[in-house]
Amino acid sequence: MTAQVLPLDDRLPRYQQLRDLFAAAVADGRWRPGEAIPPEDSLAEQHGVAVGTVRKALAVLVTEGMLERRQGRGTFVRRGNFGNALARFFRMTDAKGRPMRPVSRILSRKVLPADAEVAEHLGVADGAPIIALTRLRLVDGAPLLFEEVHLPRDPFAALLDLPFAEFGDLLYPLYETACGRVVASARETIRFGQPPAAAAAELGIDAGVPTAIIDRIAFGFDQAPLEFRRSYGPAERFSYSIDIR
């Protein structure tokens, strides 16, 4: 096996150079989310270093949340678990306390110029073309969340011709399968206020009813913004809990 030449940057220790190479393999999709990475001894041989150096580089990526170790199975590219994110903020149980899974409905899809706020969150120029989706999420047939989803157009162009029925209930798996874009992490900001008219109408509430407003910026493994999402939900359904130790 031919050894790969490491980046020529003597300012960085060898394990840090390896860390950057391995991170690039994840970011560009050579190492896929949910899949095992090559064995440590193979990586050491490929890059012409000791196994301990590879292990140290991988440990950094585990600490950073890009990789995860599974006992007895090896090291895997971490796949973010965003499927139950709503459960952290909104009560989604039936009368007997059993959890209910939300379903999603795409309401609209447009290509628009990014306004200043969206451009800042997505890291694009003002006026750059974006894909703007509106989506309704329902639990047991009742609207729970109205969402405005903003995506840079070119990386997500495959979504423009996709029938609404094929979007599914979760967007992040669709981003991966249809567009090759993997969401690795997200940052959320929560506040309370009044919903815009469109959100109030779809949620079936009065415009003056307080709502929880959740802004989320989703990032790829390279920490580049992939999505800016603003969600509105009735404050009476909002419930947030956290363990502090």
Side-chain angles (χ1 to χ4, degrees), residues 18 28 32 36-37 43 70 94 117 160 193 212 215 221 233 239-240:
L18 275 180
D28 65 21
R32 302 291 299 169
I37 68 170
L43 290 172
R70 300 180 187 175
D94 62 17
E117 180 184 28
L160 291 174
D215 287 352
F221 282 112
S239 177
Y240 180 68

Side-chain angles (χ1 to χ4, degrees), residues 200-238:
E202 293 294 343
L203 292 171
I205 59 177
D206 293 334
V209 171
T211 58
I213 304 171
I214 304 170
D215 287 352
R216 176 189 290 185
I217 305 173
F219 302 91
F221 282 112
D222 58 359
Q223 290 303 300
L226 295 177
E227 176 204 74
F228 170 55
R229 180 185 306 195
R230 177 162 289 161
S231 305
Y232 301 88
E236 64 179 13
R237 295 285 300 274
F238 185 86

Side-chain angles (χ1 to χ4, degrees), residues 78 80-82 85 88 117-124 135 147-152 155-156 171-173 175-176 181-189 214-231:
R78 188 182 65 83
N81 181 16
F82 301 94
R88 294 182 295 124
E117 180 184 28
V118 171
E120 179 180 2
H121 289 315
L122 289 180
V124 300
R135 185 169 75 144
E147 296 184 322
E148 300 167 338
V149 179
H150 307 87
L151 306 162
F156 292 93
L171 289 178
Y172 292 173
Y175 295 167
E176 183 176 347
R181 304 290 169 166
V182 177
V183 172
S185 61
R187 182 172 65 241
E188 289 180 330
T189 303
I214 304 170
D215 287 352
R216 176 189 290 185
I217 305 173
F219 302 91
F221 282 112
D222 58 359
Q223 290 303 300
L226 295 177
E227 176 204 74
F228 170 55
R229 180 185 306 195
R230 177 162 289 161
S231 305

Side-chain angles (χ1 to χ4, degrees), residues 103-114:
V103 298
S104 301
R105 181 189 305 159
I106 299 294
L107 302 176
S108 69
R109 170 179 52 196
K110 300 177 181 177
V111 175
L112 301 172

Side-chain angles (χ1 to χ4, degrees), residues 92 99-103 138-140 169-170:
M92 296 190 303
M100 295 185 295
R101 178 179 176 176
V103 298
L138 307 97
V139 174
D140 199 24
D169 292 330
L170 299 175

Side-chain angles (χ1 to χ4, degrees), residues 39-210:
E40 292 177 354
D41 55 352
S42 296
L43 290 172
E45 179 182 356
Q46 177 183 356
H47 296 288
V49 299
V51 171
T53 304
V54 168
R55 191 168 295 139
K56 189 172 182 180
L58 296 178
V60 174
L61 293 176
V62 170
T63 300
E64 293 175 352
M66 188 173 288
L67 303 178
E68 62 181 2
R69 297 192 186 279
R70 300 180 187 175
Q71 187 66 33
R73 298 181 59 192
T75 303
F76 291 72
V77 180
R78 188 182 65 83
R79 182 185 294 278
N81 181 16
F82 301 94
N84 295 322
L86 278 182
R88 294 182 295 124
F89 299 131
F90 293 93
R91 294 185 294 276
M92 296 190 303
T93 56
D94 62 17
K96 295 183 179 181
R98 294 171 298 196
M100 295 185 295
R101 178 179 176 176
V103 298
S104 301
R105 181 189 305 159
I106 299 294
L107 302 176
S108 69
R109 170 179 52 196
K110 300 177 181 177
V111 175
L112 301 172
D115 61 27
E117 180 184 28
V118 171
E120 179 180 2
H121 289 315
L122 289 180
V124 300
D126 286 6
I130 62 163
I131 299 172
L133 305 173
T134 58
R135 185 169 75 144
L136 192 63
R137 308 193 74 178
L138 307 97
V139 174
D140 199 24
L144 177 66
L145 215 62
F146 175 83
E147 296 184 322
E148 300 167 338
V149 179
H150 307 87
L151 306 162
R153 184 191 62 185
D154 291 349
F156 292 93
L159 301 183
L160 291 174
D161 297 321
L162 191 71
F164 285 177
E166 296 182 16
F167 271 72
D169 292 330
L170 299 175
L171 289 178
Y172 292 173
L174 179 66
Y175 295 167
E176 183 176 347
T177 57
C179 307
R181 304 290 169 166
V182 177
V183 172
S185 61
R187 182 172 65 241
E188 289 180 330
T189 303
I190 306 168
R191 54 193 167 91
F192 293 87
Q194 295 182 344
E202 293 294 343
L203 292 171
I205 59 177
D206 293 334
V209 171

